[in-house]
Amino acid sequence: MSDATPTPESPAGDSPDFDTLTRDIADVPAVEVITTVAVHLMSAAAVNLGLAEGGEGHKDLDEARKLIHSLAGLMDASATEISSFHAAPLRDGLKSLQLAFREASDVPDEPGQGPGEKYTGPVFG
């Protein structure tokens, strides 16, 4: 039997080193960074809206409001920087989150006052 743990003197020949597994941030296109951040905001908002599997235990509308508002601000600021190919599905996801927030609220915000509606305008179902 051999020890599978590589030592500094004898690195595993079949596994690449850390440098080959990472990309320099300068090589990542801006549209990819923007969409990745947007997807993370969307995912976190969905969890805080209780939309994840078994999500009622994670429901926190105050946190969801902040995340949705931040996502809307990012989408507003980056609208001219990313193509509609990338922006359209993100806008659809944002609208879905805004509607889910309105539905989850015991006392819904007035139209135009919901999370992110400062940037998107009133959202209706």
Side-chain angles (χ1 to χ4, degrees):
M1 271 190 173
S2 68
D3 183 13
T5 307
T7 63
E9 298 83 32
S10 60
D14 59 339
S15 64
D17 64 58
F18 183 73
D19 291 336
T20 61
L21 295 175
T22 59
R23 289 190 340 191
D24 186 2
I25 195 69
D27 295 334
V28 181
V31 67
E32 187 175 330
V33 174
I34 293 166
T35 56
T36 299
V37 169
V39 168
H40 283 289
L41 289 168
M42 292 173 83
S43 298
V47 168
N48 281 289
L49 286 170
L51 300 176
E53 187 174 323
E56 282 298 317
H58 300 287
K59 193 171 183 178
D60 185 336
L61 295 183
D62 185 50
E63 290 293 304
R65 177 184 293 278
K66 293 171 188 172
L67 292 161
I68 294 167
H69 189 76
S70 297
L71 174 61
L74 175 64
M75 295 305 305
D76 184 55
S78 64
T80 59
E81 305 301 325
I82 61 176
S83 67
S84 60
F85 174 78
H86 295 286
L90 295 173
R91 280 192 299 265
D92 291 344
L94 171 59
K95 182 178 180 181
S96 294
L97 289 169
Q98 289 171 311
L99 291 171
F101 184 91
R102 186 173 299 283
E103 190 174 298
S105 298
D106 290 332
V107 180
D109 296 313
E110 293 294 321
Q113 301 302 310
E117 291 182 4
K118 167 183 174 181
Y119 301 106
T120 63
V123 176
F124 301 102

